Amino acid sequence: MSGPGRYYNRVLEVWRAAAVDDGAGGQTTTLAQCGTVRAKVDQPSPTERLIAEQSGSRHSHDVFLLPTADVQRGDELRGTDALGVAQVFRVQSVVRPSRPVYAKAFVELTQSEGA
C-alpha cells in the first residue's frame, strides 16, 4: 500500500448512539455499529496529557484517521491491539486540520471490570 493510508495499521469499528423502538410506543438509545475506519493509535504527547488533565478531559490516546472518516464526538471505536486484546475507545473530540491530510480523534481507553 502506498500513500498516507499505509500508516493506518488498524481497523476499528465505529459504534454510535441510535434510537431504537422499544415495542411499547417509545424509544431507547443503544449503540449500533455504523462502519469501520482505518486508524493509527498513539499515546498522546506529555504536553497533550497535561493540557487534557488541566481541562478535566480523559484523553488517553490519539487516534489518527483518514480525513474522510465518519467519526464523531461520543462514538466508540472498537478493535484489538497488536496482542489481540480487545480495546474500546470513547471519542472525546475530533479535529480536522485546515489542510485535509488526516483527522485526529482524542479518545479515552475504557476498560471493563477485571481487565
Side-chain angles (χ1 to χ4, degrees):
M1 172 180 244
S2 63
R6 72 180 175 273
Y7 299 112
Y8 301 107
N9 57 1
R10 294 179 59 179
V11 175
L12 299 175
E13 298 172 345
V14 180
W15 290 72
R16 185 169 293 151
V20 178
D21 291 335
D22 65 6
Q27 292 186 326
T28 60
T29 302
T30 186
L31 290 177
Q33 184 179 352
C34 64
T36 59
V37 292
R38 294 181 52 83
K40 180 177 185 293
V41 179
D42 281 343
Q43 295 287 328
S45 71
T47 302
E48 288 174 322
R49 279 193 204 148
L50 179 62
I51 291 169
E53 187 177 310
Q54 289 174 341
S55 66
S57 175
R58 297 178 178 216
H59 174 202
S60 66
H61 289 77
D62 294 332
V63 177
F64 291 89
L65 307 156
L66 292 171
T68 56
D70 182 16
V71 173
Q72 303 171 7
R73 183 177 191 274
D75 287 351
E76 280 189 1
L77 303 176
R78 300 179 185 179
T80 56
D81 67 10
L83 299 174
V85 176
Q87 293 181 312
V88 177
F89 300 98
R90 169 77 57 184
V91 177
Q92 304 296 315
S93 65
V94 180
V95 295
R96 290 179 168 80
S98 58
R99 191 168 153 236
V101 177
Y102 65 89
K104 183 177 181 180
F106 299 98
V107 302
E108 175 189 15
L109 176 63
T110 61
Q111 294 182 331
S112 59
E113 291 288 323

